Amino acid sequence: FFTFLEKNTKQKKSVSTRILLTSHAFKNYQVMFTNIQILSFFLIASALRVSSFLATPFLSPKSIRSNQLKMSATETLRLAPEETALVLIEFQNEFTTEGGALYDAVKDCIDATGTIKNAKNVMDNARAAGCTIIHVPIAFEKGHKEISSKPYGILAAIKDGETFKSGEWGSDFCDEMKPAEGDIVCKGKGGLCGFASTNLDFLLRQNGIKNVVLGGFLTNCCIESTMRSGYELGYQVYTMKDCCAATSIAAQEAAYEHTFGMFSVPTTSSEIIAAVSK
């Protein structure tokens, strides 16, 4: 009897143990299944987010410019004249007039863009509307000692060519763009940026200017440098494509396509005239 009872008890324990193990295994499978479900959910959600990101176009300078142009086409641009300055960079004989040292380099772009005609038109209209007109010439003393003795890049070309010498015809404003009474002439430009070595920021702040409208030479050099600085200084910058010129049409188009929209609102002289007109 005792032998039978012992065997029967062992058998019951064995069965109980198997049932207990089976129960634990089932619970483990349930946990694993739940974890797999959670993991699958996160994987699917991540995949959807990635596909959504990939489907969103990258904000290239071109797309930024396109968005801005689209906005200006549907919304009428309005600029308060008392808060707006037309900043005209280097409308000097070296660039603008036959006989100037750099005239031949920019002539094709001037002719194709109508740079001088458009700049004079917007200058006259902006002045009449009550905008501040600021001329930003570049000039160097004899020997160009303001520039390093071992220059490179565009400043080397200016020094080697002895261009924009102070007090000479080449550095004078061209006839079409001479300052009128009430205009302001910025002082100190001996480099590329209209802000870096000049009193331009002081002039703008003293006159309560918030909107800076750019035009002049060279599109991908001094205009771009001034545009970037104005943007970082917190001004609302507008750059008029048809009032700028570069040493080639390709350089002009490249700047307009890839740079203008990153650091300013690309615009034209006719849009600015309409924006400041009362």
Side-chain angles (χ1 to χ4, degrees), residues 40-56:
S40 299
F41 173 79
F42 280 112
L43 288 173
I44 292 169
S46 299
L48 288 173
R49 291 183 65 183
V50 169
S51 63
S52 176
F53 172 79
L54 292 175
T56 302

Side-chain angles (χ1 to χ4, degrees), residues 147-247:
I147 301 175
S148 167
S149 59
K150 296 180 179 179
Y152 65 96
I154 193 167
L155 290 178
I158 289 173
K159 186 165 187 173
D160 292 345
E162 298 184 341
T163 55
F164 296 104
K165 286 186 285 188
S166 183
E168 296 193 6
W169 174 83
S171 65
D172 288 345
F173 294 107
C174 65
D175 291 339
E176 297 90 337
M177 300 296 291
K178 287 186 181 297
E181 185 177 352
D183 290 0
I184 302 172
V185 178
C186 178
K187 296 179 176 64
K189 190 173 189 299
L192 310 181
C193 175
F195 287 95
S197 61
T198 75
N199 62 343
L200 179 57
D201 186 50
F202 175 80
L203 295 174
L204 294 170
R205 296 188 187 282
Q206 286 294 305
N207 285 275
I209 300 302
K210 297 179 181 178
N211 309 308
V212 173
V213 182
L214 297 176
F217 301 84
L218 293 166
T219 311
N220 56 346
C221 184
C222 295
I223 295 296
E224 183 174 324
S225 295
T226 306
M227 177 198 306
R228 289 170 180 258
S229 293
Y231 179 85
E232 294 198 76
L233 286 169
Y235 293 103
Q236 183 72 21
V237 183
Y238 299 84
T239 310
M240 300 177 291
K241 180 191 178 185
D242 62 341
C243 294
C244 298
T247 53

Side-chain angles (χ1 to χ4, degrees), residues 4 14 34 36 47 61 64 73 75 95 99 103 109-110 136 149 171 201 209 226 244 262-263 266:
F4 170 78
S14 177
T34 302
I36 290 170
I64 293 171
E75 298 177 12
F95 278 129
Y103 175 71
C109 196
I110 288 176
V136 187
S149 59
S171 65
D201 186 50
I209 300 302
T226 306
C244 298
M262 294 186 73
F263 308 105

